[in-house]
Amino acid sequence: MLELLQPDEYVASVFHINLDGLKKRGIEGLIIDIDNTLVSWKTKTADQRMLKWFELLEKKDFRVCLLSNNTKDRVVKFTQAIRIPAVYRAAKPRKRAFLKAMAAMDKPPSATAVIGDQIFTDIFGGRRLGLYTVLVIPINDREFITTRFVRKIERRMLNDMIQKGKLVKPCNK
Ligand SMILES: [Mg+2]
């Protein structure tokens, strides 16, 4: 069970992800969470830097599908500017939405990575399907009370993984 909660990589933000490193691992498809991974939950659209990053993904020939547990309204509004496929109300960590995202990208689990900020939804959901997983530090720490409670557990688990040498602490540079 515990290994299903362990991310393969832990980075400061999506901009810190080594895209060429993913390529070398055979990763061609990226399933990306929105809230607190790409933008804070109150940010409605992607900024210039984010749009540039999505351009870079395209240039590097990655297929992308956004996967969010948030509402259709939020997800559609966010994806309008980037024009990439998205699955809303994904009910992560359930497998169905991850399978749907992989079908949309036409990529198998062995060529797919999940990028997200939550261990119990993004990482757990990805790992139980055998996907490569990248955890990012959440953008904004102002969150709902239930999430705040989960974050406490997450922090404890991450510290434990780092101490045991199973995970490398993210570098902000
Ligand atoms: Mg999130």
Side-chain angles (χ1 to χ4, degrees), residues 41 141-152:
W41 55 266
D141 50 17
R142 285 180 62 203
E143 293 178 303
F144 298 110
I145 190 142
T146 45
T147 315
R148 263 186 278 163
F149 174 71
V150 173
R151 290 290 182 206
K152 256 189 200 168

Side-chain angles (χ1 to χ4, degrees), residues 61-86:
D61 216 24
F62 282 107
R63 303 292 293 273
V64 181
C65 185
L66 301 185
L67 193 59
S68 174
N69 281 355
N70 214 324
T71 60
K72 179 180 179 183
D73 222 42
R74 196 281 192 264
V75 174
V76 168
K77 210 165 270 174
F78 182 79
T79 46
Q80 265 166 0
I82 7 182
R83 278 173 281 145
I84 46 174

Side-chain angles (χ1 to χ4, degrees), residues 43-172:
T43 308
K44 299 273 183 275
T45 52
D47 64 8
Q48 226 28 40
R49 190 184 181 202
M50 187 58 69
L51 293 177
K52 278 257 151 60
W53 187 70
F54 276 105
E55 272 172 31
L56 181 67
L57 295 183
E58 205 183 337
K59 218 178 280 172
K60 288 191 182 283
D61 216 24
F62 282 107
R63 303 292 293 273
V64 181
C65 185
L66 301 185
L67 193 59
S68 174
N69 281 355
N70 214 324
T71 60
K72 179 180 179 183
D73 222 42
R74 196 281 192 264
V75 174
V76 168
K77 210 165 270 174
F78 182 79
T79 46
Q80 265 166 0
I82 7 182
R83 278 173 281 145
I84 46 174
V87 179
Y88 49 83
R89 288 203 181 285
K92 291 176 279 185
R94 290 182 63 185
K95 289 178 182 171
R96 212 172 72 110
F98 288 92
L99 294 171
K100 208 169 157 185
M102 282 189 275
M105 300 189 297
D106 195 23
K107 296 295 175 197
S110 59
T112 303
V114 180
I115 301 166
D117 69 298
Q118 287 203 54
I119 289 182
F120 295 102
T121 55
D122 306 304
I123 303 305
F124 180 55
R127 293 231 41 170
R128 57 202 294 241
L129 283 166
L131 311 188
Y132 192 77
T133 51
V134 181
L135 182 73
V136 300
I137 295 178
I139 288 174
N140 198 312
D141 50 17
R142 285 180 62 203
E143 293 178 303
F144 298 110
I145 190 142
T146 45
T147 315
R148 263 186 278 163
F149 174 71
V150 173
R151 290 290 182 206
K152 256 189 200 168
I153 304 171
E154 279 186 345
R155 268 197 298 273
R156 207 169 289 172
M157 291 179 58
L158 286 170
N159 283 339
D160 192 52
M161 289 174 196
I162 289 165
Q163 252 167 27
K164 285 184 177 147
K166 289 179 179 171
L167 199 64
V168 181
K169 202 175 174 178
C171 168
N172 269 313

